[in-house]
Each structure stands twice: as C-alpha cells, then as structure tokens.
Amino acid sequence: MAHDAASDHGMAARRWRLALGRFAEPQLPGVLDRGGEYARMDRVLDYLYGREYAGRGVREGEGRGAGLDPSHLSVPGWLREARALFPAETLETLEQHALRRYGMTELVTDPAVLQRLEPNYDLLKAVLTFRGLMKPPVLALAREIVRRVVEELTRRLAREVRPMLWGRLNRQRRTHVKSARNLDWQRTVRANLKHYDRAHRRLVLEQLYFSSRTKHHLPWHIIMAVDCSGSMLDSVIHSAVMAGIFSGLPSVRVSLLAFDTSLVNLTGQVSDPLEVLMSVQLGGGTDICSALRYCETLVDSPTRTVVILVTDFFEGNSPHGVVLSVRRLREAGVRVLALAALDAQARPVFDRELAQRCVDAGAEVAALTPQRLAAWLDKVFAG
C-alpha cells in the first residue's frame, strides 16, 4: 500500500511538473528522469509554451534545473515527438495552439526550410496538416514533397498488396511463368520425395512445379468512404494510396468519398493519390450517417459491391442512423467492412460501442493494416 502511495505521488509530481513548465524545476527537482518519456514530453511542451515568455526579459535556460538540457528541436522534430508522445486529442490541441496562439508557421511559410528537409512520411503529415496556411510559392514546394513521399509509399504498398489481389493459385493449371509466388510447393515436395538425401537429411529439388492464377474476372465495385476529421490523418493517407492501388486492378471499379460533416466525391481523382491528398481538408466534425446514406445511392450490383468505411466511429450526427444504413446495405447483399482508425503506431483508436453496434447490424469491423486489408478483399473476391 505504501509503495502504491509513493508511486501515485511520483506520478502526480511529474504531471504537475509538466503542467507548470520548466520554471517549476526548483520546486519539483529531479522528478523528470533525464532522457525518459516525461523528459521528452517536457521538451515538446517547452518548445511550444516556452514562447509564452518571449519578450518578457526571461533568458533562455533561466529557471532550468541541473540535468535538464535546453531544447534544440526543429519544427518537424517537434511534430514527430509530439505525435509519438501524446494522444490524438492532446496532439490536436498542441497543433492548434502552435498555429493560432504562437504563430509557429516556420515549416509552412519559409521555402528555404522546406528545401532543406528530406521528404519523408512525417514531413508529409506536417505538410498536409498546415497546407491551408501555405502561400502559393511554398505550396508548390509542398506539393512536390507530397508527390515524392506518396509515390514511394505507393510503390512499397503495391509490391506487397497487388500479388494478393491479382488472383489465387489454380493448382489444376500449370504455367511457364516461374516466379516464387506461383510455386506449387505441395506438388513440388511430393514429386521430389524420391530424391530425399538421407545422409544429409535434406530434400533435393530436381523439378519445380508452378501453378497459374485464376483472375477475378467478374467486376467488383469498391466504395471507400473515408472520415477526414482532424484525428484521421494517418488513415486518410493510407486510404488515398490504397484506393489508387485498387483502381489499377482488373475488373475493379473504385468510388472514393471523403467526409467530415460534409461529403466530397473524389472518384474522378482516385487513380492519383497526390491529387486526392491535396484536395482533402482535414478537420471538422464527423457525419458517418450521411456518408453511408450516400454510399447506398452508389450501389447498383449489391452482391458485387464492397463498402469500406474508414472511421474512428465518433459520430456527430446519428449513431442510430449509422446502424440502420449498415443493416440496409447488408440486407441488400453488400459486404460492409468498417476499418477502425489506426494511429501512427498502428494502434486502434475508435468508439468501440458504435463499432459493436455496426457488427451486430452485419458489418465486419477491424483495425487492419493495408496488407491485411488486401488479404481480406482477396477472400471476398474469391467468394
């Protein structure tokens, strides 16, 4: 019991230290372990809220206790650390304060800064977050960053997911296309058992057998409805890329919808994830109900249609209406997959109560990576 009390006291002291900032160090010395998670949080918070003391005669480093190094974060580094350390709600507050209260727009207003930065996923997220504040010269640079990162992400994901969706092995037909993914291991092992080397305890493969693939010839319609409220950035990026990959598959038609409290049909841009991401405006509330009702109007062949709803299930309109739409789609024969939002560490973040109600109405709800989504679709296409 005493140990628990001491632990609670230590936790409370660390939280007070974070809330009060670096000038509370003399009163709460040493509660933040150097290099630990709380010390990293302190650096992130001080990088932002330390601006409160600008112009007040406070010298940099004044009030810091021994063992706490000054912050040397850059804007991209600050964003990366903040996303790693704080939950989505806190992160949104930090970003809003950075822009609205402290005018921390170095990343999005200085072309020289953008030119020095290496395009990567973290920078992509920062650009999309602050895109609305960019002036035309900076926006042109930002667009190039988005293009390079999205193309690399598309290449990587396409290599992993296209083989899953291109067709299943047909073991009744052989092929001269000798690739690893077409190798018929079962027949190859059976046919070469007679060449088993007992002395070295290994199987000698003198003949390899390859199977052809059965293509998915019947047309399928994938309707992707993507929640673009403020906490959905990672899911929006991957949804745009995956929609582009799906649109390149044979006999697959893709409709792409972006929604918060309003809805935009981006189907005309679905093959170009760059244009999709540069068109989407993140933020606002969430109206899943209206988005699903619109999805219902797009269905023309229910048993060959898949509705993929990407959302955190925090509904701002009518949870009951969401459930009714799911039930109507399922009763018509539409497969409904609701993809719960994943954060940057691929952890699910969503309203479990509404998600469970959707399951009860017939939807399949899961928090899937793009690779696992492709495997799920492959099973649906194969019947």
Side-chain angles (χ1 to χ4, degrees):
M1 183 67 69
H3 175 75
D4 291 342
S7 176
D8 291 344
H9 177 76
M11 178 68 71
R14 286 190 289 270
R15 289 177 174 173
W16 273 111
R17 170 63 180 78
L18 289 177
L20 295 172
R22 56 181 157 116
F23 294 105
E25 181 63 22
Q27 287 72 40
L28 295 169
V31 298
L32 304 181
D33 295 335
R34 181 186 178 94
E37 183 175 70
Y38 282 95
R40 291 170 61 199
M41 289 182 178
D42 186 53
R43 288 182 71 227
V44 169
L45 294 174
D46 187 59
Y47 183 85
L48 179 61
Y49 296 108
R51 296 160 190 254
E52 196 74 37
Y53 305 102
R56 299 188 183 183
V58 179
R59 296 188 302 273
E60 177 62 28
E62 183 179 340
R64 294 180 185 274
L68 288 179
D69 297 325
S71 295
H72 294 295
L73 290 172
S74 62
V75 175
W78 176 79
L79 285 169
R80 183 171 56 251
E81 281 284 272
R83 288 195 171 95
L85 294 168
F86 295 101
E89 298 82 4
T90 305
L91 177 62
E92 287 186 36
T93 300
L94 292 177
E95 291 177 346
Q96 289 173 2
H97 286 175
L99 291 173
R100 298 175 185 176
R101 183 184 299 180
Y102 302 114
M104 196 177 78
T105 57
E106 295 96 322
L107 176 65
V108 297
T109 58
D110 187 351
V113 174
L114 277 178
Q115 287 175 332
R116 289 196 302 267
L117 297 176
E118 181 67 26
N120 56 44
Y121 187 76
D122 287 329
L123 183 55
L124 167 64
K125 292 169 65 174
V127 165
L128 295 177
T129 299
F130 297 143
R131 188 186 71 242
L133 297 177
M134 294 179 180
K135 296 180 180 179
V138 183
L139 191 59
L141 287 172
R143 184 183 181 85
E144 178 61 18
I145 289 171
V146 174
R147 183 191 65 77
R148 291 174 61 183
V149 179
V150 167
E151 285 181 355
E152 175 55 32
L153 183 60
T154 300
R155 280 194 295 270
R156 179 172 61 80
L157 288 176
R159 284 196 301 267
E160 297 175 8
V161 306
R162 274 183 179 151
M164 301 181 196
L165 294 167
W166 208 259
R168 288 176 170 266
L169 284 177
N170 180 352
R171 301 188 186 280
Q172 307 305 314
R173 296 182 60 189
R174 301 301 157 202
T175 180
H176 297 294
V177 180
K178 297 181 178 181
S179 65
R181 70 189 186 97
N182 290 340
L183 181 61
D184 186 341
W185 279 103
Q186 294 181 13
R187 184 177 180 190
T188 296
V189 170
R190 285 197 304 269
N192 288 279
L193 283 175
K194 58 187 177 183
H195 305 304
Y196 183 71
D197 185 343
R198 295 182 180 276
H200 296 88
R201 303 182 67 181
R202 65 183 181 182
L203 182 65
V204 179
L205 301 180
E206 293 192 358
Q207 177 67 47
L208 300 178
Y209 294 87
F210 297 88
S211 298
S212 66
R213 289 188 171 264
T214 300
K215 306 299 183 184
H216 303 303
H217 290 298
L218 292 176
W220 279 90
H221 185 192
I222 298 176
I223 303 173
M224 292 189 70
V226 184
D227 180 349
C228 293
S229 54
S231 60
M232 294 289 297
L233 181 53
D234 286 286
S235 295
V236 169
I237 292 172
H238 284 96
S239 295
V241 172
M242 291 299 291
I245 294 173
F246 293 156
S247 70
L249 295 173
S251 302
V252 173
R253 178 164 57 99
V254 179
S255 296
L256 178 62
L257 316 173
F259 71 92
D260 45 29
T261 52
S262 58
L263 182 143
V264 179
N265 191 330
L266 298 172
T267 302
Q269 301 163 272
V270 69
S271 62
D272 190 345
L274 167 63
E275 290 300 327
V276 169
L277 291 174
M278 295 303 287
S279 300
V280 167
Q281 182 64 50
L282 293 166
T286 308
D287 188 350
I288 306 170
C289 179
S290 296
L292 282 177
R293 286 175 182 166
Y294 187 83
C295 289
E296 292 183 67
T297 69
L298 300 179
V299 177
D300 50 24
S301 180
T303 59
R304 307 296 294 178
T305 300
V306 178
V307 170
I308 301 176
L309 172 67
V310 184
T311 184
D312 56 13
F313 288 98
F314 291 106
E315 168 67 343
N317 181 5
S318 170
H320 182 63
V322 171
V323 176
L324 289 179
S325 282
V326 170
R327 184 171 291 121
R328 284 193 297 267
L329 287 165
R330 289 296 296 127
E331 288 175 350
V334 177
R335 295 290 294 269
V336 179
L337 173 64
L339 289 181
L342 297 175
D343 66 11
Q345 285 73 46
R347 296 172 299 200
V349 182
F350 61 98
D351 183 338
R352 296 177 184 273
E353 180 181 352
L354 182 54
Q356 183 58 53
R357 292 178 64 186
C358 289
V359 171
D360 295 340
E364 297 178 58
V365 176
L368 301 179
T369 62
Q371 295 85 345
R372 291 180 62 194
L373 170 60
W376 181 88
L377 280 173
D378 182 46
K379 293 179 181 178
V380 172
F381 291 169

